[in-house]
Amino acid sequence: MPAPLKTYIARLKTTEHEGRQIADRLTEILDPSHAVCASVEVAESVWQVEVHFAPPLNAAAIRAAFALAANPAATKALRVEPIRARDWIAESLVGLSPVHAGRFVVHGAHDRGRVPINSIGIEIEAALAFGTGHHGTTRGCLLALDALLKRNRPQHVLDLGTGSGVLAIASAKVLHRRIVATDIDPRAVCAARANARSNHVGGFVETLHATGLNAVELARRAPFDLVLANILLNPLQRLATSITSRLAPGATVVLSGLLPAHVNGAITAYRAQGLALGQRILIDGWVTLVMQR
């Protein structure tokens, strides 16, 4: 796997209300590959907005984005600090307990012994930006996926924006058939491929470096019975037509990476393509939607 880039974190302390508003705006301004989090409570009534980024994005660009999202007085308190890869991983592992989401348990190697016998373990080590399963969006997707796979056994599954590959691995462990996993970041593709192998489903998870759903490789694998898209509102809206054009009759789409303020926009985009809302899951201030054709 390629060595991770040197990364940075920008932090701004504010109120919960303002923090959510700023995070909402930043998700519209910044590229989807930059993780924006506003659900970090550091003290009573004090919340922290965080953005992780790497070159070519720099501190000046991040400060400009915050200036557009918040008032100038607030941005004076913005702190930008470098994070070394080894520090990120060590910090991420400290205090991380296994994540339970239905039958699925996402854990690190240090917690293999804590996976219940009747659960489906997914071993993911902490890695920059790709996800360990602790984020509310991933947990929401896993809960939705668990419920869906108890009712149906989709033949063709797509994990769009796979990141660490958690959702693709979970699907493969239950279905024991090929799952297509794509990401716009080649490093994420490598991480997902490695994680699938370490979870003994490398033969089932097909990882592809692709932007959207127009790649020739994806066209050949459509139509899909289930699409998992844990990304952000803007790309979800842009991809609504492409995603639905690749769906089989009666297919299901799981959308996540949404703040509560984004829900109506996402639902509207997919209802316009003939999908109906089946379920809404709220975890840690993030919403997962289950849409059905």
Side-chain angles (χ1 to χ4, degrees), residues 74-261:
T75 57
K76 291 180 180 178
L78 180 66
R79 294 185 295 116
V80 180
E81 302 169 347
I83 302 176
R84 290 179 298 174
R86 62 177 179 273
D87 291 339
W88 171 274
I89 294 174
E91 181 181 334
S92 297
L93 287 172
V94 173
L96 286 188
S97 300
V99 174
H100 296 257
R103 288 172 288 174
F104 302 116
V105 179
V106 185
H107 63 93
H110 58 294
D111 278 324
R112 287 175 187 165
R114 298 175 65 183
V115 179
I117 295 176
N118 295 326
S119 296
I120 300 172
I122 303 171
E123 186 170 307
I124 303 290
E125 290 302 320
L128 177 62
F130 302 145
T132 60
H134 290 75
H135 199 279
T137 58
T138 308
R139 288 167 56 203
C141 286
L142 286 170
L143 285 170
L145 179 62
D146 182 47
L148 288 167
L149 297 184
K150 286 179 180 177
R151 300 193 302 266
N152 301 296
R153 295 185 65 84
Q155 296 292 315
H156 303 286
V157 179
L158 170 63
D159 180 11
L160 181 66
T162 190
S164 64
V166 170
L167 302 179
I169 293 167
S171 302
K173 287 203 167 193
V174 174
L175 297 172
H176 302 291
R177 59 173 58 109
R178 186 177 68 180
I179 310 297
V180 180
T182 72
D183 205 285
I184 62 173
D185 188 337
R187 295 176 302 152
V189 173
C190 291
R193 184 178 300 122
N195 287 331
R197 289 172 179 166
S198 66
N199 279 273
H200 310 293
V201 290
F204 292 120
V205 178
E206 180 183 8
T207 54
L208 297 172
H209 177 220
T211 301
L213 286 92
N214 295 322
V216 174
E217 295 89 344
L218 283 178
R220 288 201 296 260
R221 289 157 180 77
F224 296 101
D225 307 296
L226 173 62
V227 174
L228 307 164
N230 181 14
I231 40 182
L232 293 170
L233 177 64
N234 283 351
L236 286 176
Q237 289 178 315
R238 289 197 304 268
L239 294 170
T241 301
S242 297
I243 288 175
T244 52
S245 69
R246 304 294 190 199
L247 296 180
T252 300
V253 179
V254 177
L255 308 173
S256 198
L258 301 167
L259 292 167

